[in-house]
Structure formats: structure tokens, C-alpha cells
Amino acid sequence: MQKEAVEEVDGPVLVLAGAGTGKTAALTARLAYIIGTGKAWPGQILAVTFTNKAAREMKERVGMLMGEAVEGMPWLGTFHSIDRKS
């Protein structure tokens, strides 16, 4: 199911699962996959998570998978931290 979430690029994906099941890893891999395959530019993506910890982890992991931070990733964060002006 995680592989399906990563490779499904024809629309949004909602991942709901319990703690420790790999949600952050799957979503991070999905972001890197979408950017890496050129399906979307970072500015065309909105990735929202519930906790600051998950947002930090996702930013770090996307940066590692992509080889660098993707322009600070203002499009990835919590409901309260996403900058609407970016």
C-alpha cells in the first residue's frame, strides 16, 4: 500500500494509519518521486501534516532523497505553519 501511495501521481493521496506504520516515509518518498520525475515543481505541491515533528522529518528526508533542500520547502508544513504567501 505504501508503494501505491508513492507512485500514484494522478491526484491527491490521503494516508491515514497508526503511529510507526511508515506514513512519513511513504509521503516523503512520494514527494521526492513527484519532484524527481518532473510530474510537478515544488511550488505546485502542498504537503500538510499535523505535527511540527513530522514536518521537520519530512523536510529532512526530502532533502536527503533529493540531494539537497528544495528551496526551504515553504509548501511543506503543518496546518498552522504553511505560509499562504509563498
Side-chain angles (χ1 to χ4, degrees):
M1 295 182 85
Q2 289 174 337
K3 185 176 180 187
E4 290 176 35
V6 170
E7 295 178 350
E8 177 54 55
V9 295
D10 293 326
V13 169
L14 175 64
V15 177
L16 296 173
T21 58
K23 293 180 303 294
T24 301
L27 292 173
T28 301
R30 176 180 165 76
L31 293 173
Y33 180 80
I34 289 170
I35 295 166
T37 59
K39 297 285 185 183
W41 294 99
Q44 296 172 312
I45 297 171
L46 175 61
V48 181
T49 186
F50 287 100
T51 67
N52 287 321
K53 179 183 176 193
R56 273 192 308 275
E57 288 178 12
M58 288 178 71
K59 287 180 180 184
E60 290 172 7
R61 293 178 190 187
V62 169
M64 284 189 283
L65 289 170
M66 298 300 299
E68 61 187 83
V70 185
E71 300 172 20
M73 299 180 228
W75 43 268
L76 193 166
T78 65
F79 288 100
H80 302 290
S81 69
I82 296 287
D83 182 359
R84 295 183 306 260
K85 297 175 186 172
S86 295

